[in-house]
Amino acid sequence: MSDHLAQMAPMPVHGNTDDPLWRKLWNAYEPVITALRRIPLVTDVELCGGMFGITAQLTDGSHLWISSVEELPLDPTEVEGWHVRRADEDNPTVDDLVYNSTVDGEDSQHGNNVVPLVQAITTFVTERRLAPKLIDVLCVQLDAVTKDHRRVSRLFQGPFDDRDAAVKAYGYATYGLLEDGWRRIHAQGGFDWPLTIWELNGEIVTVYLAHVGQVIA
């Protein structure tokens, strides 16, 4: 399991990442790129043949090509609407119009607004199951208040990318408290999101299953 718990696709790996022009475009279009990486799609800036555009890789080997009326300008404020197509270098029959907010497009009312662009892409790849699957990452968390009123908070067990394993670890953690003489004074959540509060000699401990992020399957 990856240690990276954020809902984010990895950075592209190739020689262009050291190119000043590539870096300038990557930074200029960071709001779009970051939104796509959070879907999560591996996203890149293409400089091929003098054409500037954004690509997002899909799970079936195809990709999205994100441009404007023509290529993307260096300055995002000069974008004249967004044009997004799905294509496949090995299969020319794959040619889907995903979104078109250029002047003659059916989404022209949105212009260069990034929000409806990302929403349209998210809907497209989700409905067709073209985005990588995300797995919830869980941990058993412990929060406590000591006799001298100090707060203690720590990761007790995990992280886990399997819910059954996380629930089992939670069971072991709470059983250990019971064996040590702690008294359970509150319980909620069942097996979905269990949480219990324990007391011993004036100290209070809360043990619960916490959602700490997602990883790409």
Side-chain angles (χ1 to χ4, degrees):
M1 186 190 74
S2 171
D3 290 329
H4 183 55
L5 302 182
Q7 183 181 338
M8 183 82 75
M11 288 277 293
V13 180
H14 53 68
N16 283 343
T17 56
D18 292 326
D19 186 305
L21 177 58
W22 186 93
R23 297 185 71 86
K24 182 175 182 179
L25 287 165
W26 178 274
N27 291 331
Y29 288 94
E30 184 274 334
V32 176
I33 292 170
T34 297
L36 296 178
R37 292 178 66 206
R38 289 191 183 281
I39 288 176
L41 301 175
V42 176
T43 307
D44 200 356
V45 173
E46 289 288 338
L47 309 177
C48 182
M51 296 292 290
F52 306 149
I54 297 171
T55 59
Q57 300 300 316
L58 305 178
T59 54
D60 68 343
S62 64
H63 66 274
L64 300 179
W65 173 258
I66 303 160
S67 58
S68 185
V69 176
E70 294 181 355
E71 66 181 35
L72 290 177
L74 290 174
D75 184 351
T77 63
E78 298 176 3
V79 169
E80 300 178 56
W82 301 97
H83 189 274
V84 184
R85 298 198 77 90
R86 176 186 172 217
D88 190 325
E89 294 178 359
D90 299 321
N91 185 357
T93 64
V94 176
D95 185 13
D96 300 314
L97 177 62
V98 178
Y99 183 79
N100 186 2
S101 65
T102 62
V103 64
D104 296 322
E106 61 180 20
D107 308 296
S108 59
Q109 71 272 21
H110 298 306
N112 64 356
N113 191 336
V114 171
V115 174
L117 164 71
V118 175
Q119 289 175 338
I121 292 175
T122 302
T123 299
F124 181 86
V125 300
T126 300
E127 289 179 347
R128 291 161 179 79
R129 298 181 180 180
L130 294 172
K133 182 182 177 182
L134 292 171
I135 299 175
D136 287 332
V137 177
L138 309 172
C139 74
V140 180
Q141 183 74 25
L142 183 147
D143 293 334
V145 178
T146 65
K147 291 179 182 178
D148 54 357
H149 308 291
R150 289 185 298 107
R151 178 177 179 270
V152 178
S153 181
R154 66 185 177 93
L155 176 68
F156 200 73
Q157 296 283 344
F160 303 95
D161 58 7
D162 179 83
R163 175 174 286 274
D164 289 341
V167 171
K168 185 178 291 186
Y170 170 87
Y172 288 143
T174 53
Y175 181 76
L177 290 174
L178 189 64
E179 287 287 286
D180 290 339
W182 290 81
R183 180 173 62 93
R184 190 177 71 181
I185 58 177
H186 176 75
Q188 66 183 51
F191 289 103
D192 293 327
W193 292 103
L195 178 150
T196 46
I197 301 175
W198 303 76
E199 183 273 337
L200 178 65
N201 298 329
E203 297 190 337
I204 300 293
V205 169
T206 303
V207 183
Y208 55 98
L209 203 63
H211 181 271
V212 294
Q214 293 177 311
V215 292
I216 300 173

